[in-house]
Amino acid sequence: MTRIPCLSLLGLLGLTGCGFAPLYAQGGGGQVDVSHELQRIYVQNIPSRYGQEMRLALQKDLGGSAPEQPDGYTLQVGGSAAQEAIDIHGDNTAGRMRISGSAHWRLFTVEQFPKLLAEGDTRVLDGYNATFEQYFAQTLNSESSTGRVAEALAQNMTQQIGVWFRSHIQPGHAAEAALPRFADPDAMPSDHGTVSHQAGADGFPASATGRLNNSTSTTSAADPND
């Protein structure tokens, strides 16, 4: 009964000999110490409350358990969080609100003429149940969900930057460009062909989930004067 866990543990320990190594492990054998490099990143100011939540989450994730030493790099971040209504009822109210958050980051050197080292994009989804009859609960649910989106985006950006430090491979934009398009069966064909709509971040068209167009949007961008 006790042999299986032991064998599993030995198998995990043996992965380091097959080229596998934890991303945030201390550098060794000529590898970059990713955790140390992340601690050297200064996160520029991101306007708005949503931007500040994202910045605080980034500072926490980049610093890890050690004190920050932001002397080597500057990180500029622009992000947005858009809400959309789904589960549309007969009285035109929604049973759930979905939040689609996205962020674009750029990493620069710290010198007289900063150089762009890497940049990337990330997107996450979250949501909450709509309670229109309880205004304060609705507001609290919206703010809590937006905060979770900011934290999730910060985690994704930290991971992408860490991967770049280890491999120097730029995060691709193929995932965003590869979202499928779906024909609109209710639209009249135009002279250029069938009308189509691009899918949402979850890969489904709005018509399949009863979504409306984005109703509210919060956008934040790094302050270039910071």
Side-chain angles (χ1 to χ4, degrees):
M1 296 294 294
T2 59
R3 291 184 179 180
I4 295 178
C6 293
L7 292 175
S8 300
L9 178 60
L10 291 175
L12 291 174
L13 294 176
L15 287 175
T16 56
C18 301
F20 172 84
L23 177 61
Y24 302 113
Q26 293 185 354
Q31 290 186 339
V32 176
D33 190 339
V34 174
S35 296
H36 175 69
E37 295 301 316
L38 292 177
Q39 293 163 8
R40 299 181 61 200
I41 297 176
Y42 171 75
V43 183
Q44 285 194 354
N45 182 52
I46 311 175
S48 79
R49 174 177 177 174
Y50 171 69
Q52 290 303 306
E53 289 179 327
M54 192 186 306
R55 184 171 187 258
L56 290 174
L58 273 169
Q59 290 175 323
K60 180 187 69 174
D61 293 339
L62 293 172
S65 59
E68 299 178 40
Q69 300 176 351
D71 60 353
Y73 311 93
T74 300
L75 183 65
Q76 295 182 0
V77 178
S80 65
Q83 295 192 19
E84 53 188 356
I86 61 176
D87 184 23
I88 308 301
H89 299 164
D91 58 356
N92 206 32
T93 60
R96 186 166 177 80
M97 303 297 292
R98 175 174 292 166
I99 300 180
S100 176
S102 60
H104 178 76
W105 59 268
R106 297 191 298 169
L107 186 66
F108 293 87
T109 58
V110 175
E111 52 187 328
Q112 183 177 3
F113 301 102
K115 298 177 182 177
L116 177 62
L117 297 176
E119 60 182 325
D121 297 273
T122 182
R123 173 175 285 188
V124 299
L125 288 175
D126 206 311
Y128 59 94
N129 293 334
T131 53
F132 295 106
E133 69 279 2
Q134 301 179 18
Y135 176 77
F136 293 105
Q138 176 85 351
T139 302
L140 180 60
N141 289 337
S142 176
E143 293 179 351
S144 299
S145 299
T146 304
R148 291 196 303 268
V149 168
E151 292 179 356
L153 289 172
Q155 293 174 359
N156 290 351
M157 285 186 282
T158 300
Q159 185 178 54
Q160 289 181 348
I161 297 170
V163 170
W164 180 83
F165 276 124
R166 178 61 60 85
S167 65
H168 288 281
I169 298 176
Q170 293 273 6
H173 304 274
E176 294 291 330
L179 289 175
R181 300 188 66 87
F182 296 88
D184 187 347
D186 298 324
M188 291 294 294
S190 65
D191 295 337
H192 303 286
T194 305
V195 178
S196 63
H197 302 282
Q198 190 167 22
D202 54 3
F204 289 94
S207 58
T209 57
R211 286 202 298 262
L212 299 176
N213 292 332
N214 293 344
S215 56
T216 60
S217 178
T218 302
T219 304
S220 301
D223 186 355
N225 298 320
D226 185 31

